């Protein structure tokens, strides 16, 4: 059975949701999302250290989506929407950030290997990897050099959960979760 | 050399580059989607500055947030300053971080480990607390 994005989204917005977005991503959307998250953290009077960490991770996560998401199936570069889901829930301790986006099946392996590698490394090893990549000249034209997801893992200190959910044609829906404590 | 004075926005930092005074200051938030576009003129300016630098160069980096896309660009800024340090041996990078912001202190230490320029880590104490 095909993965149902709406059912998955409804699951994500159960509980203590402090922010949720489902729709296309653009530079303006990023501004709105980040402003709203910052405002919400202020409203619930979260400690500065936790707020800062969650904001930083939100910046990386949403900009990663902006740079790397594939066009929504059926769209072309001309009319192209890039659909994403972005949800932050408050847990008993900390926050859960969940993102969802379409990617083409031929990109699964690289991404899965990258996250598995990150999850396998200790915090100290992640810091070392980050320094090596930062000091290395090989950055992609999008500027990030694959540092975004390492940065998220390094800041959370927790393992990343993920799933690749089969969709029609050559696509799957990639779900990523990070717990911020 | 003409100075650079940019007012900060929600996504880009306040920038003050003054060749006469040897002052290089970046302050605020650096989280644009396309950091290369923002930093290119700054790196180009530093390239020229490195040819005839002031006798002493004081660098102040006080960032509240910066994204990984900016991190490489900030390294490019520092690499130009590393060239100034090689010729003048009088560059100091003052890296400011807010009290308890260990991630920002660590980011400074990341650069320190990559570069051959003296760093001074300065904790900003919030007096309201």
């Amino acid at each position: 059975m095909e993965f149902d994005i709406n059912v998955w989204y409804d699951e994500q917005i159960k509980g203590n949701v402090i922010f949720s977005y489902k729709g296309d991503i653009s530079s303006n959307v990023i501004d709105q999302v980040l402003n709203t998250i910052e405002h919400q953290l202020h409203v619930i009077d979260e400690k500065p250290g936790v707020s800062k960490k969650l904001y930083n991770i939100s910046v990386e996560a949403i900009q990663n989506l902006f740079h790397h998401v594939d066009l929504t199936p059926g769209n072309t570069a001309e009319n192209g929407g890039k659909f994403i889901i972005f949800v932050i829930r408050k847990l008993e301790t900390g926050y859960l950030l969940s993102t969802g986006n379409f990617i083409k099946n031929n990109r699964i392996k690289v991404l899965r290997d990258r996250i598995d590698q990150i999850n396998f490394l200790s915090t100290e090893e992640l810091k070392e990897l980050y320094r090596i990549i930062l000091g290395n000249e090989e950055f992609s034209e999008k500027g990030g050099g694959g540092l975004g997801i390492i940065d998220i893992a390094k800041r959370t200190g927790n393992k990343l959960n993920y799933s690749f959910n089969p969709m029609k044609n050559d696509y799957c829906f990639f779900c990523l979760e990070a717990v911020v404590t | 050399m003409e100075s650079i004075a940019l007012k900060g926005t929600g996504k880009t930092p306040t920038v003050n580059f003054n060749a006469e005074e040897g002052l290089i200051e970046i302050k605020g938030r650096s989280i644009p989607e396309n950091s290369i576009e923002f930093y290119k003129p700054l790196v180009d300016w530093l390239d020229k500055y490195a040819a005839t630098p002031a006798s002493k160069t004081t660098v102040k980096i006080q960032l509240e947030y910066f994204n990984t896309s900016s991190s490489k660009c900030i390294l490019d800024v520092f690499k130009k300053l590393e060239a100034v340090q090689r010729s003048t041996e009088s560059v100091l990078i003052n890296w400011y971080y807010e009290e308890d912001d260990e991630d920002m202190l660590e980011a400074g230490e990341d650069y320190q480990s990559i570069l051959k320029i003296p760093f001074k880590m300065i904790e900003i104490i919030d007096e309201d607390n």
Side-chain angles (χ1 to χ4, degrees), chain A residues 27 31 38 60 63 131, chain B residues 11 29 33 67-68 110:
Chain A
S27 186
D31 292 356
E38 190 167 33
E60 289 307 326
Q63 293 188 345
R131 280 185 187 183
Chain B
K11 278 182 161 176
R29 296 181 174 202
E33 285 94 59
N67 57 2
T68 51
D110 286 344

Side-chain angles (χ1 to χ4, degrees), chain A residues 23-110:
Chain A
D24 285 345
I25 188 163
S26 65
S27 186
N28 284 339
V29 167
I30 292 179
D31 292 356
Q32 286 166 19
V33 168
L34 294 177
N35 286 342
T36 311
I37 291 170
E38 190 167 33
H39 177 72
Q40 283 296 97
L41 288 168
H42 183 71
V43 168
I44 61 176
D45 204 19
E46 185 48 85
K47 288 194 288 286
V50 178
S51 286
K52 206 162 218 188
K53 210 176 258 295
L54 187 56
Y55 185 80
N56 260 312
I57 289 167
S58 300
V59 169
E60 289 307 326
I62 200 153
Q63 293 188 345
N64 246 350
L65 291 171
F66 177 74
H67 289 302
H68 299 296
V69 63
D70 279 320
L71 284 170
T72 308
N75 284 352
T76 61
E78 287 73 40
N79 68 6
K82 291 179 170 178
F83 176 83
I84 65 148
I85 287 174
F86 195 97
V87 180
I88 299 174
R89 275 177 288 172
K90 194 168 184 351
L91 307 173
E92 253 175 63
T93 45
Y95 294 86
L96 175 67
L97 167 67
S98 316
T99 67
N101 62 280
F102 287 101
I103 70 161
K104 285 192 174 154
N105 287 339
N106 60 12
R107 294 176 60 203
I108 293 177
K109 190 179 182 308
V110 171

